[in-house]
């Protein structure tokens, strides 16, 4: 994944820590932390995604600084496309005052030594990041923008289902194992379920045993947009236009992943990996995962 897409994700995820944290202040929106700096954690700006033909834009709020003294920053990125492929990308970070903007500008310049195309205009930092997105499909970047908006909505929601912790479990019948590997609360990476089916077979010594004949992993996400983004990123590798050429060589054919997107679910067929494996051995591995997760959850 490209550098600035990582930064966008990191900035978006900052929302989670900030929305549930009250700054060490008098809570009037301009309070101060222990370091005496003004906190601006209440500058609330909901994410907005717009698309008009061959252009798209995403704007959302992130924070620069600690949870105790965070400073709200408006982050926007604009994409331009030609024939469904990104040809131009620009970002802008807008701070509430010029002093903060200069501090953030200097920080970026210091940490991104290989990045020179950046400018400071009043309280706004601007940069051309075309090289980080060039060649990405419009449908992929649309998926990323919708994913970002959904994450913000979930982080700001009072719905307890988004933060519910769930214990892992395993159900076993004569020819089937069904497992859920638990949830620590909000699971952006998806809740994992696994199912195995078995049939009677014989081993190399002609001894009967229950052999795996089907295996499926299912990842369930909070929304369809989040599921689609992970599907396109982790399985189709659309964040890297050169992925398949780099992996197998330019022009080489390759097998598509045995996985499908179904609403909020990503379903992966793992039969080829587990085919013929002994039911008892698979059950031991599953139970180890279930018990380890539950033990950790009980310790929290």
């Amino acid at each position: 994944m490209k550098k600035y897409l990582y930064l966008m994700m990191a900035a978006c995820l900052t929302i989670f820590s900030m929305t549930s944290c009250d700054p060490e202040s008098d809570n009037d929106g301009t309070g101060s932390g222990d370091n005496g700096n003004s906190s601006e954690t209440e500058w609330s700006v909901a994410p907005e995604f717009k698309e008009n033909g061959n252009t798209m834009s995403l704007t959302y709020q992130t924070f620069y600084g600690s949870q105790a003294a965070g400073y709200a920053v408006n982050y926007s990125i604009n994409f331009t496309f030609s024939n469904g492929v990104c040809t131009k990308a620009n970002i802008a970070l807008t701070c509430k005052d010029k002093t903060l903007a200069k501090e953030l500008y200097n920080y970026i310049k210091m940490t991104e030594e290989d990045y020179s195309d950046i400018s400071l205009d009043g309280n706004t930092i601007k940069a051309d990041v075309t090289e980080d997105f060039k060649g990405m499909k419009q449908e992929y970047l649309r998926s990323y923008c919708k994913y970002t908006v959904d994450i913000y909505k979930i982080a700001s929601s009072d719905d307890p289902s988004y933060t519910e912790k769930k214990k892992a479990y395993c159900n076993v019948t004569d020819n089937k194992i069904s497992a859920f590997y638990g949830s620590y609360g909000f699971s952006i990476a998806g809740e994992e379920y696994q199912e195995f089916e078995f049939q009677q077979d014989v081993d190399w010594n002609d001894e009967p045993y229950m052999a795996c004949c089907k295996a499926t992993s299912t990842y369930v996400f909070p929304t369809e947009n989040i599921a689609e983004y992970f599907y396109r990123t982790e399985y189709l590798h659309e964040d890297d236009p050169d992925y398949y050429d780099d992996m197998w060589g330019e022009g080489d054919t390759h097998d598509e992943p045995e996985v499908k997107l179904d609403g909020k679910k990503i379903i992966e067929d793992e039969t080829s990996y587990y085919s013929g494996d002994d039911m008892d051995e698979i059950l031991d591995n599953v139970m180890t995962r279930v018990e380890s997760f539950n033990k950790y959850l009980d310790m929290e």
Side-chain angles (χ1 to χ4, degrees):
M1 185 174 294
K2 303 296 183 178
K3 175 178 60 180
Y4 271 89
L5 196 52
Y6 267 131
L7 292 181
M8 292 165 69
M9 291 179 67
C12 181
L13 292 177
T14 307
I15 293 170
F16 295 118
S17 62
M18 296 304 303
T19 52
S20 61
C21 176
D22 292 327
E24 297 174 7
S25 68
D26 53 11
N27 207 23
D28 64 356
T30 59
S32 61
D34 291 339
N35 58 7
N37 292 329
S38 174
S39 175
E40 299 171 345
T41 56
E42 293 187 10
W43 186 22
S44 180
V45 178
E48 184 177 29
F49 166 60
K50 294 181 180 179
E51 183 171 10
N52 183 14
N54 66 341
T55 62
M56 292 193 316
S57 66
L58 171 69
T59 302
Y60 61 88
Q61 183 183 79
T62 184
F63 293 89
Y64 170 62
S66 68
Q67 291 184 355
Y71 295 88
V73 178
N74 267 15
Y75 189 114
S76 66
I77 184 161
N78 295 279
F79 300 105
T80 302
F81 301 90
S82 177
N83 297 320
V85 175
C86 183
T87 57
K88 186 78 172 176
N90 293 283
I91 60 171
L93 294 91
T94 302
C95 304
K96 269 203 166 182
D97 60 68
K98 294 181 179 180
T99 301
L100 176 61
K102 186 174 182 179
E103 180 183 342
L104 182 54
Y105 170 79
N106 289 335
Y107 175 78
I108 294 173
K109 289 283 287 185
M110 178 181 66
T111 56
E112 300 295 340
E113 295 179 358
D114 63 333
Y115 191 67
S116 57
D117 191 6
I118 183 172
S119 63
L120 178 62
D121 182 9
N123 63 338
T124 299
I125 301 165
K126 299 178 180 179
D128 183 331
V129 293
T130 300
E131 289 304 312
D132 293 320
F133 298 96
K134 192 174 182 179
M136 289 188 185
K137 296 179 181 178
Q138 186 168 359
E139 57 189 10
Y140 174 72
L141 291 174
R142 180 189 301 118
S143 172
Y144 168 74
C145 292
K146 291 183 176 181
Y147 152 90
T148 303
V149 171
D150 278 10
I151 288 213
Y152 185 96
K153 289 180 179 178
I154 290 172
S156 305
S157 173
D158 294 328
D159 188 341
S161 66
Y162 289 135
T163 56
E164 180 185 3
K165 295 181 179 180
K166 303 174 184 177
K167 283 201 167 187
Y169 63 75
C170 176
N171 295 323
V172 185
T173 64
D174 289 342
N175 67 337
K176 193 173 184 179
I177 297 173
S178 300
F180 167 59
Y181 295 118
S183 173
Y184 292 111
F186 178 78
S187 181
I188 187 176
E191 296 179 348
E192 182 182 357
Y193 297 80
Q194 202 169 28
E195 289 193 353
F196 302 91
E197 294 182 15
F198 303 87
Q199 63 186 11
Q200 192 76 37
D201 203 345
V202 293
D203 61 19
W204 295 104
N205 297 316
D206 289 331
E207 295 291 333
Y209 80 107
M210 295 297 290
C212 181
C213 58
K214 185 176 182 180
T216 305
S217 282
T218 301
Y219 303 89
V220 182
F221 297 82
T223 71
E224 292 186 6
N225 288 330
I226 295 176
E228 181 182 352
Y229 171 72
F230 273 91
Y231 174 73
R232 290 183 177 277
T233 302
E234 299 299 327
Y235 293 94
L236 302 186
H237 306 286
E238 291 181 352
D239 60 314
D240 183 358
D242 299 321
Y243 175 83
Y244 290 109
D245 286 343
D246 292 342
M247 183 65 67
W248 287 284
E250 187 173 355
D252 282 4
T253 59
H254 57 272
D255 294 330
E256 293 296 329
E258 295 184 68
V259 61
K260 67 177 181 179
L261 177 66
D262 182 12
K264 296 192 295 184
K265 300 177 181 179
I266 294 177
I267 303 171
E268 185 174 3
D269 187 337
E270 299 179 308
T271 303
S272 60
Y273 181 78
Y274 289 100
S275 181
D277 286 3
D278 185 270
M279 183 176 184
D280 290 336
E281 293 180 359
I282 290 178
L283 181 58
D284 284 344
N285 292 331
V286 169
M287 289 305 301
T288 296
R289 288 190 63 183
V290 168
E291 291 169 359
S292 296
F293 180 89
N294 290 338
K295 182 178 180 181
Y296 182 84
L297 198 64
D298 289 338
M299 293 172 59
E300 289 193 327

